[in-house]
Amino acid sequence: MKTNSRYLADVLITAVAPAIWGSTYFVTTSFLPHGYPLTSAMLRALPAGLLLLLIVRKLPTGVWWGRAFILGALNFSFFWAMLFVSAYRLPGGVAATVGAVQPLIVIALSRLFLGKPIRFLAVIAGLIGMSGVALLVLTPNAALDPVGIAAGLAGAVSMAFGTVLTRHWQPPVSSLTFTSWQLTAGGILLVPVAFLLEPALPAPTPANMLGIAYLGLIGAAFTYLLWFRGLSRIEPSAAASLGFLSPVVATLLGWLALGQSLSPAQIAGFAMVLASVWLSQRTMMPVRPTRPAASREPASHPA
């Protein structure tokens, strides 16, 4: 039985990944050329995956070829494509709020694929988190685009399936090797899509190269290594709730780096998101086995 302190350590390590993902929007808009979302996603995944493959020097075998590409599509190719469509067609706040439904989807899929019980408090935590994200990022004049909303929901479902199936299949290799397989597969799947749907990328500037290096090495290789490690150690629904930290970090970066102000509603959203994450982790905390009560019968004495 895992101790609470070890479980908490695994949660904190896993939480680093979505916290870093919160910087993706800032880095993308500040360092990468505009109008190349699929190419940027491919450059984020494929070089990082190939680099990790060079390190581990181990390819999939048997059914893991297919599973690597399925998970690569769910966690990277399709997810990132839908994420970009949603971001382009919806205001950032609406896109983030739609994506925040993912922990609730993970709870349902965990019941379906892993046989995990649906905990009432976990559902409440997910609803609190969604409400907190809405307060954090939504603006009064936010527009609703049906295609953008559908893309956002499709991306949330894709990542939710990827999260649960990653735990369900439990690969017979290290987290580093598993990360390299998925990143490489996801990047390969993005190559023809980016080539067909987007113009050629212009000659990169030093700022572009710095942004791509950050998103590939830190925002993909490092963070997904932590993420997949976490999925092998903590419940998928507990891991998914950590995704609420991404809009928190994104908002904080906007406040610190871009001089954006924080309203009272956003501060309340911060508090709700943190409360949601705490409640979700508290719900999934391993229960210590109770010790049998000491016998109350008087000890016998020799005559």
Side-chain angles (χ1 to χ4, degrees):
M1 175 68 69
K2 181 181 290 189
T3 63
N4 285 352
S5 59
R6 186 173 177 182
Y7 179 86
L8 180 59
D10 287 334
V11 168
L12 292 175
I13 292 172
T14 308
V16 172
I20 292 177
W21 294 337
S23 66
T24 300
Y25 178 78
F26 171 77
V27 173
T28 300
T29 55
S30 301
F31 291 90
L32 267 58
H34 297 283
Y36 302 89
L38 296 175
T39 303
S40 298
M42 182 269 293
L43 291 175
R44 181 182 177 187
L46 187 55
L50 292 174
L51 177 62
L52 293 182
L53 270 182
L54 286 175
I55 294 174
V56 300
R57 297 181 180 274
K58 186 177 181 63
L59 293 174
T61 56
V63 297
W64 287 104
W65 278 105
R67 290 179 177 181
F69 275 91
I70 291 173
L71 292 175
L74 292 172
N75 287 323
F76 300 109
S77 309
F78 185 76
F79 170 61
W80 280 349
M82 292 298 99
L83 190 67
F84 280 120
V85 171
S86 175
Y88 273 112
R89 299 188 68 101
L90 294 172
V94 177
T97 304
V98 172
V101 73
Q102 181 191 327
L104 296 176
I105 301 174
V106 169
I107 291 174
L109 293 178
S110 294
R111 174 62 180 171
L112 181 63
F113 287 96
L114 305 176
K116 301 293 183 181
I118 296 179
R119 294 181 170 90
F120 176 74
L121 286 180
V123 176
I124 294 298
L127 294 174
I128 292 174
M130 283 188 63
S131 302
V133 170
L135 286 175
L136 194 62
V137 297
L138 276 182
T139 58
N141 57 350
L144 300 180
D145 176 76
V147 175
I149 292 176
L153 289 174
V157 170
S158 178
M159 185 65 174
F161 266 102
T163 297
V164 173
L165 288 179
T166 297
R167 177 61 178 265
H168 177 59
W169 280 333
Q170 287 289 308
V173 293
S174 67
S175 297
L176 183 64
T177 301
F178 197 38
T179 303
S180 71
W181 292 354
Q182 292 194 52
L183 277 172
T184 303
I188 290 173
L189 292 173
L190 281 167
V191 170
V193 180
F195 179 78
L196 292 174
L197 299 182
E198 291 182 352
L201 193 70
T205 66
N208 297 157
M209 296 177 67
L210 182 62
I212 291 173
Y214 174 84
L215 291 177
L217 296 176
I218 305 299
F222 175 66
T223 55
Y224 277 96
L225 172 60
L226 298 182
W227 184 249
F228 294 138
R229 174 193 178 276
L231 287 178
S232 68
R233 296 167 183 250
I234 65 177
E235 295 294 335
S237 54
S241 72
L242 298 175
F244 290 135
L245 297 175
S246 290
V248 168
V249 172
T251 303
L252 285 175
L253 284 176
W255 175 53
L256 295 172
L258 304 177
Q260 298 172 353
S261 60
L262 291 179
S263 66
Q266 287 179 304
I267 295 174
F270 272 116
M272 292 178 67
V273 167
L274 295 178
S276 167
V277 172
W278 176 85
L279 180 60
S280 179
Q281 303 311 316
R282 189 75 180 85
T283 303
M284 299 296 172
M285 194 77 72
V287 180
R288 293 181 180 178
T290 57
R291 295 181 179 178
S295 175
R296 297 179 180 271
E297 297 181 2
S300 58
H301 297 281

